[in-house]
Amino acid sequence: MMEIIRIPRIMQETSRHYITKSKKLGFVPTMGALHEGHLSLVRRAKDENDLVVVSIFLNPKQFGANEDLSYYPKPIESDIEKLQSINTDILFLPETSFIYPTNFCTYITVQNLSDKLCGPFRPGHFTGVTTVVCKLLNMVMPSRLYLGQKDYQQLLIIKRMVEDLNIPVEIIPCRTIREKDGLAMSSRNSYLKSKERLSATVIYKTLSYLSNLIVEKKIPCHEVKGKMKEMLLNEPLIEEIQYASIYDPETLDELDNYKKVNLLAVALKIGNTRLIDNMIVEINSVVV
Amino acid sequence: MMEIIRIPRIMQETSRHYITKSKKLGFVPTMGALHEGHLSLVRRAKDENDLVVVSIFLNPKQFGANEDLSYYPKPIESDIEKLQSINTDILFLPETSFIYPTNFCTYITVQNLSDKLCGPFRPGHFTGVTTVVCKLLNMVMPSRLYLGQKDYQQLLIIKRMVEDLNIPVEIIPCRTIREKDGLAMSSRNSYLKSKERLSATVIYKTLSYLSNLIVEKKIPCHEVKGKMKEMLLNEPLIEEIQYASIYDPETLDELDNYKKVNLLAVALKIGNTRLIDNMIVEINSVVV
């Protein structure tokens, strides 16, 4: 039976109880609107730990003034059913006022990495993410934190925060879960009208086509960006490409020359819906 | 026998070992140059917990470019002796490079409170303090954190950070320890030449004289600041008063009218030495 905890102090006491019994907690933070991507994290956390804690908290501090906070889907009853069906042990479901009391004024910023890729398009977003994740980690006190690689920049920034602040948790990056046609699962996919949904498949097609070209050494690094944009813009419903190129997976700087491990990453808008995706491309170091 | 730990990971593992045995750890973070103020915190932490951990780390991130980092006293051998003599269990003594590796880039800021009092005179100081204290708390994982009230603003800011970030620690504020003539103990008192040391006593005299006037209702709130500056400036070796007034002890805003609890606070320079002190003044609410 899944326990639902709504009060931060009770979450903390519950976790402390398990920790003193040497139980390992796996933790999956979410904003709800759960899809198979989230559920795969929960299943893995359940497998690898004594208990799995999932949080659902639609964090207002990671949404900009003109973003989709009020439209973001909130199917809480179906979320609860899904979590129950995969034997989640604890759902942490706090009210916003418990997470951000009126005099709240402490913020965590990971410099440099937060200014790259999505950073300029979502000012304050990553500070909102790192602040709430630090809070959640202090409330849940897990041994392991499960994060999806679909939000690659977020994963990298949280990794850096955890390392820089010596937060005692192990981060487990988990592969992106995709629809059958390759579209990365996202709660925001539900915004897409049917024609938009079809056109969104160009993202995965572009990333995997280019990954293959790169691995097969059929395209020089400096041509990747142009080719990527060309393929994406061929799809008429794509209105705005925010970024699309090849990056250093550690610094998020754009690359002029391949590294052993490279990051293809893209953010674009189809209609009003902002989609992101990425692919890690390892180049075989065998010299032909 | 006092254990000395220099490696963050080992500190964390040691603490985890005690926590799983349900031992309570008391923690006193310091920058070394230990005086009776520090030692009183250590004794109290020892009394109230199963073990006491003291850290000595001269945190470069809380010193400004023109401040006294390089001059700050570093009598590590006598510090170790003092800690041993009062049965400190663990001294955490990390190298700077272990606390701030080269790619370190995560900072914690408590907004508003950090901009008041010492804030404008020490840009970046409180971000340096909160960042390192959060790190130390994650490494030591204490049940209780002991802080002196002499650094009142620091205490208030750390309290807010701990509350805002849900850090699982209880903060124990401890009263300021003073020399016989009233000067608040500080590692920086050692900078004072003998004439300066004498003139520094005017700070305590001023604070206690005004406290008495306030409690006895012999001075209106709006006259406190003027009287305070007048008394301090009577002392010719005081070269610069950075601030000296009566403040709200929760918001640090200057007060026009007394509250039930009030804060007298001062920062000034004698020669090159910057000194701070404060006094909490509770007004008896009985109406005469």
Side-chain angles (χ1 to χ4, degrees), chain A residues 3-41:
Chain A
E3 186 179 0
I4 300 183
I5 297 177
R6 294 171 190 274
I7 315 287
R9 187 182 44 78
I10 294 179
M11 183 67 246
Q12 222 166 24
E13 283 167 13
T14 305
S15 286
R16 197 188 306 278
H17 166 80
Y18 287 114
I19 290 165
T20 52
K21 286 178 152 186
S22 296
K23 299 285 187 199
K24 297 276 184 206
L25 269 64
F27 178 44
V28 183
T30 82
M31 300 207 299
L34 303 178
H35 50 64
E36 190 51 36
H38 299 111
L39 302 184
S40 73
L41 301 180

mmCIF file of all heavy atoms in Angstrom, chain A residues 3-41:
data_model
loop_
_atom_site.group_PDB
_atom_site.id
_atom_site.type_symbol
_atom_site.label_atom_id
_atom_site.label_comp_id
_atom_site.label_asym_id
_atom_site.label_seq_id
_atom_site.Cartn_x
_atom_site.Cartn_y
_atom_site.Cartn_z
ATOM 1 N N GLU A 3 2.079 4.878 0.729
ATOM 2 C CA GLU A 3 1.843 5.919 1.728
ATOM 3 C C GLU A 3 1.940 7.288 1.045
ATOM 4 O O GLU A 3 2.860 7.509 0.250
ATOM 5 C CB GLU A 3 2.897 5.805 2.833
ATOM 6 C CG GLU A 3 2.678 6.748 4.009
ATOM 7 C CD GLU A 3 3.730 6.599 5.114
ATOM 8 O OE1 GLU A 3 4.635 5.742 4.960
ATOM 9 O OE2 GLU A 3 3.636 7.325 6.093
ATOM 10 N N ILE A 4 0.980 8.165 1.320
ATOM 11 C CA ILE A 4 1.058 9.523 0.767
ATOM 12 C C ILE A 4 1.396 10.487 1.905
ATOM 13 O O ILE A 4 0.694 10.540 2.911
ATOM 14 C CB ILE A 4 -0.267 9.940 0.086
ATOM 15 C CG1 ILE A 4 -0.589 8.970 -1.061
ATOM 16 C CG2 ILE A 4 -0.167 11.372 -0.440
ATOM 17 C CD1 ILE A 4 -1.830 9.320 -1.861
ATOM 18 N N ILE A 5 2.507 11.225 1.728
ATOM 19 C CA ILE A 5 2.956 12.178 2.753
ATOM 20 C C ILE A 5 2.886 13.579 2.161
ATOM 21 O O ILE A 5 3.355 13.806 1.050
ATOM 22 C CB ILE A 5 4.397 11.849 3.209
ATOM 23 C CG1 ILE A 5 4.429 10.465 3.875
ATOM 24 C CG2 ILE A 5 4.943 12.918 4.147
ATOM 25 C CD1 ILE A 5 5.812 10.009 4.299
ATOM 26 N N ARG A 6 2.262 14.486 2.903
ATOM 27 C CA ARG A 6 2.079 15.843 2.377
ATOM 28 C C ARG A 6 2.889 16.898 3.130
ATOM 29 O O ARG A 6 3.017 18.034 2.689
ATOM 30 C CB ARG A 6 0.592 16.226 2.429
ATOM 31 C CG ARG A 6 -0.263 15.373 1.493
ATOM 32 C CD ARG A 6 -1.761 15.602 1.707
ATOM 33 N NE ARG A 6 -2.559 14.631 0.979
ATOM 34 C CZ ARG A 6 -2.938 14.761 -0.292
ATOM 35 N NH1 ARG A 6 -2.613 15.836 -0.963
ATOM 36 N NH2 ARG A 6 -3.654 13.824 -0.884
ATOM 37 N N ILE A 7 3.423 16.533 4.298
ATOM 38 C CA ILE A 7 4.074 17.512 5.168
ATOM 39 C C ILE A 7 5.593 17.271 5.160
ATOM 40 O O ILE A 7 6.032 16.156 5.477
ATOM 41 C CB ILE A 7 3.573 17.370 6.627
ATOM 42 C CG1 ILE A 7 2.040 17.226 6.683
ATOM 43 C CG2 ILE A 7 4.076 18.507 7.505
ATOM 44 C CD1 ILE A 7 1.282 18.480 6.397
ATOM 45 N N PRO A 8 6.383 18.281 4.793
ATOM 46 C CA PRO A 8 7.842 18.109 4.751
ATOM 47 C C PRO A 8 8.429 17.492 6.027
ATOM 48 O O PRO A 8 9.248 16.573 5.953
ATOM 49 C CB PRO A 8 8.359 19.544 4.555
ATOM 50 C CG PRO A 8 7.280 20.209 3.764
ATOM 51 C CD PRO A 8 5.992 19.631 4.291
ATOM 52 N N ARG A 9 7.999 17.964 7.186
ATOM 53 C CA ARG A 9 8.556 17.455 8.443
ATOM 54 C C ARG A 9 8.282 15.953 8.605
ATOM 55 O O ARG A 9 9.140 15.200 9.080
ATOM 56 C CB ARG A 9 7.946 18.243 9.621
ATOM 57 C CG ARG A 9 8.544 17.941 10.983
ATOM 58 C CD ARG A 9 7.838 18.740 12.082
ATOM 59 N NE ARG A 9 6.383 18.735 11.923
ATOM 60 C CZ ARG A 9 5.567 17.724 12.263
ATOM 61 N NH1 ARG A 9 6.069 16.628 12.784
ATOM 62 N NH2 ARG A 9 4.273 17.810 12.065
ATOM 63 N N ILE A 10 7.093 15.531 8.178
ATOM 64 C CA ILE A 10 6.752 14.113 8.306
ATOM 65 C C ILE A 10 7.548 13.270 7.297
ATOM 66 O O ILE A 10 7.999 12.167 7.600
ATOM 67 C CB ILE A 10 5.228 13.906 8.155
ATOM 68 C CG1 ILE A 10 4.540 14.581 9.353
ATOM 69 C CG2 ILE A 10 4.871 12.416 8.062
ATOM 70 C CD1 ILE A 10 3.046 14.494 9.358
ATOM 71 N N MET A 11 7.760 13.843 6.114
ATOM 72 C CA MET A 11 8.603 13.160 5.124
ATOM 73 C C MET A 11 9.991 12.940 5.722
ATOM 74 O O MET A 11 10.537 11.832 5.645
ATOM 75 C CB MET A 11 8.686 14.024 3.859
ATOM 76 C CG MET A 11 9.475 13.404 2.722
ATOM 77 S SD MET A 11 8.690 11.941 2.005
ATOM 78 C CE MET A 11 9.848 10.648 2.454
ATOM 79 N N GLN A 12 10.539 14.002 6.331
ATOM 80 C CA GLN A 12 11.872 13.922 6.907
ATOM 81 C C GLN A 12 11.941 12.888 8.043
ATOM 82 O O GLN A 12 12.874 12.088 8.111
ATOM 83 C CB GLN A 12 12.242 15.307 7.448
ATOM 84 C CG GLN A 12 13.654 15.737 7.169
ATOM 85 C CD GLN A 12 13.852 17.225 7.428
ATOM 86 O OE1 GLN A 12 13.123 17.838 8.201
ATOM 87 N NE2 GLN A 12 14.846 17.804 6.778
ATOM 88 N N GLU A 13 10.924 12.893 8.887
ATOM 89 C CA GLU A 13 10.915 11.939 10.007
ATOM 90 C C GLU A 13 10.778 10.506 9.508
ATOM 91 O O GLU A 13 11.400 9.584 10.038
ATOM 92 C CB GLU A 13 9.769 12.268 10.979
ATOM 93 C CG GLU A 13 10.100 13.455 11.876
ATOM 94 C CD GLU A 13 8.875 14.000 12.607
ATOM 95 O OE1 GLU A 13 7.826 13.321 12.625
ATOM 96 O OE2 GLU A 13 8.973 15.129 13.143
ATOM 97 N N THR A 14 9.945 10.332 8.479
ATOM 98 C CA THR A 14 9.760 9.000 7.906
ATOM 99 C C THR A 14 11.076 8.495 7.317
ATOM 100 O O THR A 14 11.487 7.349 7.554
ATOM 101 C CB THR A 14 8.674 9.040 6.811
ATOM 102 O OG1 THR A 14 7.486 9.586 7.384
ATOM 103 C CG2 THR A 14 8.395 7.660 6.246
ATOM 104 N N SER A 15 11.757 9.358 6.563
ATOM 105 C CA SER A 15 13.037 8.962 5.978
ATOM 106 C C SER A 15 14.056 8.647 7.062
ATOM 107 O O SER A 15 14.782 7.654 6.978
ATOM 108 C CB SER A 15 13.569 10.081 5.079
ATOM 109 O OG SER A 15 12.834 10.125 3.891
ATOM 110 N N ARG A 16 14.099 9.495 8.074
ATOM 111 C CA ARG A 16 15.076 9.272 9.148
ATOM 112 C C ARG A 16 14.850 7.904 9.808
ATOM 113 O O ARG A 16 15.794 7.178 10.109
ATOM 114 C CB ARG A 16 14.980 10.387 10.191
ATOM 115 C CG ARG A 16 16.208 10.449 11.104
ATOM 116 C CD ARG A 16 16.018 11.429 12.244
ATOM 117 N NE ARG A 16 15.634 12.747 11.792
ATOM 118 C CZ ARG A 16 16.481 13.662 11.348
ATOM 119 N NH1 ARG A 16 17.761 13.385 11.282
ATOM 120 N NH2 ARG A 16 16.048 14.844 10.964
ATOM 121 N N HIS A 17 13.575 7.574 9.983
ATOM 122 C CA HIS A 17 13.224 6.281 10.555
ATOM 123 C C HIS A 17 13.834 5.135 9.740
ATOM 124 O O HIS A 17 14.436 4.205 10.296
ATOM 125 C CB HIS A 17 11.690 6.159 10.603
ATOM 126 C CG HIS A 17 11.182 4.786 10.845
ATOM 127 N ND1 HIS A 17 11.127 4.220 12.102
ATOM 128 C CD2 HIS A 17 10.719 3.846 9.981
ATOM 129 C CE1 HIS A 17 10.647 2.990 11.992
ATOM 130 N NE2 HIS A 17 10.382 2.737 10.722
ATOM 131 N N TYR A 18 13.693 5.204 8.407
ATOM 132 C CA TYR A 18 14.232 4.136 7.560
ATOM 133 C C TYR A 18 15.760 4.146 7.550
ATOM 134 O O TYR A 18 16.409 3.099 7.520
ATOM 135 C CB TYR A 18 13.688 4.249 6.134
ATOM 136 C CG TYR A 18 12.235 3.846 6.037
ATOM 137 C CD1 TYR A 18 11.246 4.779 5.720
ATOM 138 C CD2 TYR A 18 11.846 2.535 6.279
ATOM 139 C CE1 TYR A 18 9.907 4.415 5.653
ATOM 140 C CE2 TYR A 18 10.512 2.155 6.205
ATOM 141 C CZ TYR A 18 9.551 3.098 5.898
ATOM 142 O OH TYR A 18 8.238 2.726 5.827
ATOM 143 N N ILE A 19 16.344 5.370 7.564
ATOM 144 C CA ILE A 19 17.801 5.476 7.501
ATOM 145 C C ILE A 19 18.444 4.859 8.748
ATOM 146 O O ILE A 19 19.446 4.144 8.649
ATOM 147 C CB ILE A 19 18.229 6.947 7.336
ATOM 148 C CG1 ILE A 19 17.839 7.439 5.930
ATOM 149 C CG2 ILE A 19 19.736 7.120 7.541
ATOM 150 C CD1 ILE A 19 17.885 8.937 5.762
ATOM 151 N N THR A 20 17.847 5.111 9.920
ATOM 152 C CA THR A 20 18.433 4.532 11.133
ATOM 153 C C THR A 20 18.284 3.008 11.130
ATOM 154 O O THR A 20 18.985 2.316 11.862
ATOM 155 C CB THR A 20 17.797 5.109 12.421
ATOM 156 O OG1 THR A 20 16.384 4.982 12.327
ATOM 157 C CG2 THR A 20 18.156 6.578 12.591
ATOM 158 N N LYS A 21 17.372 2.505 10.298
ATOM 159 C CA LYS A 21 17.286 1.045 10.131
ATOM 160 C C LYS A 21 18.167 0.557 8.982
ATOM 161 O O LYS A 21 18.002 -0.567 8.480
ATOM 162 C CB LYS A 21 15.830 0.654 9.829
ATOM 163 C CG LYS A 21 14.904 0.725 11.038
ATOM 164 C CD LYS A 21 13.495 0.356 10.580
ATOM 165 C CE LYS A 21 12.682 -0.257 11.704
ATOM 166 N NZ LYS A 21 11.367 -0.732 11.209
ATOM 167 N N SER A 22 19.053 1.457 8.486
ATOM 168 C CA SER A 22 19.968 1.143 7.375
ATOM 169 C C SER A 22 19.250 0.769 6.084
ATOM 170 O O SER A 22 19.791 0.021 5.259
ATOM 171 C CB SER A 22 20.953 0.027 7.753
ATOM 172 O OG SER A 22 21.774 0.472 8.804
ATOM 173 N N LYS A 23 18.025 1.270 5.887
ATOM 174 C CA LYS A 23 17.325 1.026 4.624
ATOM 175 C C LYS A 23 17.812 2.021 3.580
ATOM 176 O O LYS A 23 18.054 3.195 3.884
ATOM 177 C CB LYS A 23 15.807 1.222 4.799
ATOM 178 C CG LYS A 23 15.162 0.286 5.802
ATOM 179 C CD LYS A 23 15.023 -1.109 5.254
ATOM 180 C CE LYS A 23 14.221 -1.975 6.213
ATOM 181 N NZ LYS A 23 14.445 -3.408 5.963
ATOM 182 N N LYS A 24 17.936 1.557 2.341
ATOM 183 C CA LYS A 24 18.309 2.437 1.235
ATOM 184 C C LYS A 24 17.043 2.967 0.573
ATOM 185 O O LYS A 24 16.166 2.189 0.179
ATOM 186 C CB LYS A 24 19.110 1.664 0.180
ATOM 187 C CG LYS A 24 20.434 1.126 0.681
ATOM 188 C CD LYS A 24 21.523 2.179 0.608
ATOM 189 C CE LYS A 24 22.856 1.595 1.015
ATOM 190 N NZ LYS A 24 23.769 2.621 1.556
ATOM 191 N N LEU A 25 16.982 4.290 0.437
ATOM 192 C CA LEU A 25 15.849 4.916 -0.252
ATOM 193 C C LEU A 25 16.280 5.360 -1.650
ATOM 194 O O LEU A 25 17.294 6.032 -1.809
ATOM 195 C CB LEU A 25 15.376 6.160 0.517
ATOM 196 C CG LEU A 25 14.287 5.956 1.575
ATOM 197 C CD1 LEU A 25 14.771 5.078 2.695
ATOM 198 C CD2 LEU A 25 13.810 7.297 2.108
ATOM 199 N N GLY A 26 15.471 5.012 -2.634
ATOM 200 C CA GLY A 26 15.643 5.551 -3.982
ATOM 201 C C GLY A 26 14.615 6.651 -4.179
ATOM 202 O O GLY A 26 13.486 6.533 -3.698
ATOM 203 N N PHE A 27 14.994 7.719 -4.856
ATOM 204 C CA PHE A 27 14.111 8.883 -4.957
ATOM 205 C C PHE A 27 13.946 9.322 -6.414
ATOM 206 O O PHE A 27 14.921 9.450 -7.151
ATOM 207 C CB PHE A 27 14.687 10.030 -4.124
ATOM 208 C CG PHE A 27 13.892 11.310 -4.194
ATOM 209 C CD1 PHE A 27 12.503 11.308 -4.118
ATOM 210 C CD2 PHE A 27 14.543 12.537 -4.322
ATOM 211 C CE1 PHE A 27 11.771 12.496 -4.176
ATOM 212 C CE2 PHE A 27 13.822 13.732 -4.372
ATOM 213 C CZ PHE A 27 12.444 13.708 -4.311
ATOM 214 N N VAL A 28 12.696 9.541 -6.800
ATOM 215 C CA VAL A 28 12.373 10.042 -8.144
ATOM 216 C C VAL A 28 11.548 11.324 -7.997
ATOM 217 O O VAL A 28 10.355 11.265 -7.688
ATOM 218 C CB VAL A 28 11.568 9.005 -8.960
ATOM 219 C CG1 VAL A 28 11.308 9.533 -10.377
ATOM 220 C CG2 VAL A 28 12.283 7.660 -9.004
ATOM 221 N N PRO A 29 12.171 12.495 -8.182
ATOM 222 C CA PRO A 29 11.410 13.752 -8.119
ATOM 223 C C PRO A 29 10.705 13.993 -9.446
ATOM 224 O O PRO A 29 11.310 13.834 -10.505
ATOM 225 C CB PRO A 29 12.494 14.812 -7.889
ATOM 226 C CG PRO A 29 13.756 14.222 -8.447
ATOM 227 C CD PRO A 29 13.615 12.721 -8.425
ATOM 228 N N THR A 30 9.417 14.372 -9.388
ATOM 229 C CA THR A 30 8.675 14.649 -10.624
ATOM 230 C C THR A 30 7.795 15.884 -10.424
ATOM 231 O O THR A 30 7.615 16.346 -9.300
ATOM 232 C CB THR A 30 7.741 13.488 -11.039
ATOM 233 O OG1 THR A 30 6.514 13.591 -10.281
ATOM 234 C CG2 THR A 30 8.368 12.130 -10.804
ATOM 235 N N MET A 31 7.255 16.385 -11.548
ATOM 236 C CA MET A 31 6.248 17.435 -11.462
ATOM 237 C C MET A 31 4.870 16.861 -11.793
ATOM 238 O O MET A 31 3.945 17.600 -12.131
ATOM 239 C CB MET A 31 6.599 18.585 -12.407
ATOM 240 C CG MET A 31 7.953 19.215 -12.061
ATOM 241 S SD MET A 31 8.100 20.943 -12.561
ATOM 242 C CE MET A 31 7.881 20.804 -14.330
ATOM 243 N N GLY A 32 4.734 15.533 -11.704
ATOM 244 C CA GLY A 32 3.456 14.905 -12.025
ATOM 245 C C GLY A 32 3.268 14.774 -13.530
ATOM 246 O O GLY A 32 4.222 14.900 -14.293
ATOM 247 N N ALA A 33 2.021 14.498 -13.954
ATOM 248 C CA ALA A 33 1.710 14.187 -15.359
ATOM 249 C C ALA A 33 2.630 13.051 -15.805
ATOM 250 O O ALA A 33 3.350 13.154 -16.801
ATOM 251 C CB ALA A 33 1.849 15.423 -16.251
ATOM 252 N N LEU A 34 2.586 11.976 -15.033
ATOM 253 C CA LEU A 34 3.567 10.902 -15.176
ATOM 254 C C LEU A 34 3.372 10.118 -16.468
ATOM 255 O O LEU A 34 2.260 9.793 -16.851
ATOM 256 C CB LEU A 34 3.463 9.961 -13.973
ATOM 257 C CG LEU A 34 3.641 10.638 -12.609
ATOM 258 C CD1 LEU A 34 3.471 9.621 -11.483
ATOM 259 C CD2 LEU A 34 4.976 11.352 -12.502
ATOM 260 N N HIS A 35 4.487 9.826 -17.115
ATOM 261 C CA HIS A 35 4.471 8.989 -18.309
ATOM 262 C C HIS A 35 5.466 7.848 -18.111
ATOM 263 O O HIS A 35 6.095 7.734 -17.049
ATOM 264 C CB HIS A 35 4.795 9.817 -19.555
ATOM 265 C CG HIS A 35 6.022 10.662 -19.428
ATOM 266 N ND1 HIS A 35 7.277 10.123 -19.267
ATOM 267 C CD2 HIS A 35 6.193 12.013 -19.393
ATOM 268 C CE1 HIS A 35 8.163 11.094 -19.175
ATOM 269 N NE2 HIS A 35 7.537 12.262 -19.232
ATOM 270 N N GLU A 36 5.614 7.040 -19.152
ATOM 271 C CA GLU A 36 6.457 5.855 -19.046
ATOM 272 C C GLU A 36 7.904 6.206 -18.693
ATOM 273 O O GLU A 36 8.605 5.405 -18.064
ATOM 274 C CB GLU A 36 6.367 5.062 -20.358
ATOM 275 C CG GLU A 36 6.980 3.695 -20.336
ATOM 276 C CD GLU A 36 6.522 2.814 -19.164
ATOM 277 O OE1 GLU A 36 5.331 2.907 -18.767
ATOM 278 O OE2 GLU A 36 7.376 2.073 -18.631
ATOM 279 N N GLY A 37 8.342 7.404 -19.076
ATOM 280 C CA GLY A 37 9.695 7.839 -18.697
ATOM 281 C C GLY A 37 9.838 7.884 -17.186
ATOM 282 O O GLY A 37 10.768 7.300 -16.611
ATOM 283 N N HIS A 38 8.878 8.569 -16.522
ATOM 284 C CA HIS A 38 8.906 8.612 -15.053
ATOM 285 C C HIS A 38 8.821 7.203 -14.462
ATOM 286 O O HIS A 38 9.559 6.847 -13.538
ATOM 287 C CB HIS A 38 7.712 9.402 -14.512
ATOM 288 C CG HIS A 38 7.654 10.839 -14.952
ATOM 289 N ND1 HIS A 38 6.692 11.313 -15.825
ATOM 290 C CD2 HIS A 38 8.418 11.908 -14.625
ATOM 291 C CE1 HIS A 38 6.872 12.615 -16.004
ATOM 292 N NE2 HIS A 38 7.907 13.004 -15.304
ATOM 293 N N LEU A 39 7.874 6.428 -15.000
ATOM 294 C CA LEU A 39 7.623 5.110 -14.398
ATOM 295 C C LEU A 39 8.836 4.197 -14.513
ATOM 296 O O LEU A 39 9.112 3.397 -13.616
ATOM 297 C CB LEU A 39 6.381 4.466 -15.033
ATOM 298 C CG LEU A 39 5.089 5.303 -14.896
ATOM 299 C CD1 LEU A 39 3.897 4.537 -15.460
ATOM 300 C CD2 LEU A 39 4.819 5.734 -13.459
ATOM 301 N N SER A 40 9.598 4.364 -15.613
ATOM 302 C CA SER A 40 10.808 3.539 -15.743
ATOM 303 C C SER A 40 11.822 3.903 -14.658
ATOM 304 O O SER A 40 12.542 3.044 -14.156
ATOM 305 C CB SER A 40 11.418 3.704 -17.142
ATOM 306 O OG SER A 40 12.033 4.973 -17.267
ATOM 307 N N LEU A 41 11.873 5.188 -14.295
ATOM 308 C CA LEU A 41 12.761 5.595 -13.192
ATOM 309 C C LEU A 41 12.301 4.970 -11.879
ATOM 310 O O LEU A 41 13.105 4.492 -11.071
ATOM 311 C CB LEU A 41 12.766 7.117 -13.019
ATOM 312 C CG LEU A 41 13.193 8.004 -14.193
ATOM 313 C CD1 LEU A 41 13.117 9.486 -13.794
ATOM 314 C CD2 LEU A 41 14.603 7.680 -14.646
#
